[in-house]
Amino acid sequence: MNNPRILEIRRGVLEKNDLLAQNLRAHFNEAGVMVINLVSSPGAGKTAFLEATLRHLRENGLRPAALVGDLATDNDAQRLARSGAPVRQIVTGGNCHLEADMISTHLADWQLDLTNLDYLFIENVGNLVCPASYDLGEHLRVVLLSVTEGEDKPLKYPTLFNSADVTIITKIDIAAAVEFDRAAATAAIHAVRPGMIILETSAKTGEGMQNWLEYLNTCRQTYPLQPITT
Amino acid sequence: MHELSIAYHLVEIAAQAAQSAHVKQVDALHLRLGALSGVVKEALLFSYEIATAGTVLEGSRLVIEEIPVALHCPACAVTSVLDTIQVFRCPICGQPSNDIRQGRELEVVSLEIADEQPTYS
């Protein structure tokens, strides 16, 4: 018997990841925890921003935790643990991005009770290309852009900026010194993702952090999270 | 670069389908690749040879159909194909839009199967 010439498949290459991510999101919804995926280029200030965020949230009586992806070290996790929030490292061993199965594996090992959390932050590997393709089950994808990076970066990495929900401009305290062009940055961000919310922050001085926390809180109220009733 | 890991994923899916259909040799794998998939065509083509080694797809061609972004404009009620991924505006009226109807594809479409002599047993 001859085989057919064309064998139809029609399957998404990342369907396994996407399905796992959907299951994770359902699991997060059930536990009532809002999950935020932080992406940026290396050196944009993700760790400093996250450290300040964890500290501020805890000061406000909220319960955040963080999963931190890093190529090779646990330096970031050690820094973040100073905030007092539960933190766990995912060493990717050279992998340039996080995938949904890494999240589910580490959460299972961690034995963290998600129902006792308000927010779970996932700090992705510093990379503006690869993380764009992988849904981690997050509710909110946040891209960080520091004032030192060049205002046209969104135009160079449109796929990732287009996939994000909000842009955080970091290191705003040195904006004047590096002649950051706010209008150019805004135009570039809105070219690749019309209407995206842009928040300016400084982890160092605390400027803009309150706005960010309020934004997070608004998102948390809006998302269809269903806390388990006892 | 994550194209090698993407290549392994697509080979896994294709090899599974080939096995279920009792295919012994594949001539080509057809893939749809969206402009917003986050995957670079050249890097994927390079990775394909490595990922197919030792599988039923070894020696096959990877045929990539590039899918541009199609953006729907609510004002014009028209969906237009964009020739860029840097400006998400309706090419007709210039209004910005986030209503992306096409361009995120990363899909194994089909396999071209090598002709086989009928076997008699």
Side-chain angles (χ1 to χ4, degrees):
Chain A
M1 195 179 82
N2 273 322
N3 284 309
R5 281 292 297 161
I6 298 288
L7 179 63
E8 288 275 336
I9 301 182
R10 297 217 167 264
R11 280 174 63 189
V13 176
L14 293 175
E15 64 178 18
K16 223 185 210 172
N17 184 81
D18 292 345
L19 186 65
L20 196 49
Q22 283 165 28
N23 291 340
L24 276 171
R25 189 151 33 239
H27 180 55
F28 296 146
N29 285 345
E30 203 180 300
V33 58
M34 181 174 160
V35 179
I36 300 109
N37 180 4
L38 296 178
V39 287
S40 80
S41 50
K46 275 192 305 300
T47 309
F49 174 74
L50 182 52
E51 189 182 355
T53 301
L54 295 176
R55 202 178 58 240
H56 280 100
L57 285 171
R58 282 175 60 82
E59 282 167 9
N60 292 351
L62 290 153
R63 302 163 301 174
L67 265 174
V68 187
D70 195 302
L71 292 170
T73 73
D74 69 347
N75 297 346
D76 289 354
Q78 287 185 24
R79 262 175 77 187
L80 291 169
R82 294 188 305 212
S83 68
V87 175
R88 191 177 168 97
Q89 181 78 38
I90 302 177
V91 177
T92 63
N95 209 345
C96 53
H97 59 273
L98 295 176
E99 298 187 16
D101 72 338
M102 298 178 190
I103 305 302
S104 65
T105 306
H106 280 81
L107 282 178
D109 289 350
W110 199 2
Q111 294 180 331
L112 183 72
D113 185 359
L114 292 175
T115 61
N116 281 333
L117 292 180
D118 298 303
Y119 297 101
L120 174 66
F121 293 88
I122 301 170
E123 183 182 334
N124 219 312
V125 180
N127 181 337
L128 280 179
V129 181
C130 311
S133 306
Y134 295 89
D135 185 357
L136 304 180
E138 74 265 27
H139 299 101
L140 193 71
R141 186 174 291 186
V142 178
V143 58
L144 277 68
L145 175 70
S146 67
V147 294
T148 58
E149 282 179 74
E151 295 82 358
D152 61 345
K153 209 146 198 184
L155 300 175
K156 292 179 179 169
Y157 301 94
T159 302
L160 191 131
F161 276 85
N162 183 271
S163 79
D165 300 295
V166 55
T167 301
I168 304 287
I169 309 278
T170 59
K171 310 182 189 181
I172 200 68
D173 53 300
I174 57 165
V178 297
E179 296 180 351
F180 174 66
D181 185 340
R182 182 174 278 111
T186 303
I189 292 163
H190 284 164
V192 298
R193 184 77 155 98
M196 178 144 68
I197 289 174
I198 303 169
L199 299 171
E200 298 182 352
T201 62
S202 164
K204 197 173 169 190
T205 65
E207 184 182 342
M209 290 305 288
Q210 202 52 45
N211 280 345
W212 157 240
L213 297 184
E214 278 165 23
Y215 174 75
L216 267 184
N217 187 45
T218 309
C219 290
R220 204 181 132 65
Q221 307 303 327
T222 321
Y223 282 97
L225 302 168
Q226 289 147 6
I228 290 168
T229 48
T230 46
Chain B
M1 189 187 108
H2 64 308
E3 279 76 4
L4 186 58
S5 112
I6 299 277
Y8 279 115
H9 284 306
L10 75 91
V11 167
E12 189 189 336
I13 290 170
Q16 234 172 47
Q19 199 183 7
S20 317
H22 306 291
V23 169
K24 302 280 185 303
Q25 202 193 330
V26 175
D27 276 347
L29 187 160
H30 289 257
L31 182 82
R32 280 161 58 86
L33 186 66
L36 276 180
S37 65
V39 173
V40 179
K41 182 183 173 183
E42 288 70 25
L44 190 60
L45 286 168
F46 176 78
S47 305
Y48 185 72
E49 204 181 317
I50 301 165
T52 50
T55 75
V56 66
L57 290 114
E58 185 166 348
S60 67
R61 290 172 296 126
L62 176 61
V63 181
I64 296 177
E65 183 194 353
E66 291 179 271
I67 312 291
V69 171
L71 194 69
H72 185 76
C73 173
C76 300
V78 170
T79 301
S80 310
V81 168
L82 304 186
D83 57 7
T84 172
I85 57 167
Q86 290 176 319
V87 183
F88 288 81
R89 284 177 181 278
C90 171
I92 301 165
C93 72
Q95 281 290 321
S97 168
N98 278 317
D99 191 351
I100 296 164
R101 297 287 173 94
Q102 169 193 294
R104 299 192 201 278
E105 294 78 1
L106 183 52
E107 186 193 30
V108 180
V109 180
S110 62
L111 296 180
E112 265 178 58
I113 313 300
D115 277 326
E116 279 181 25
Q117 292 297 317
T119 52
Y120 303 98
S121 55

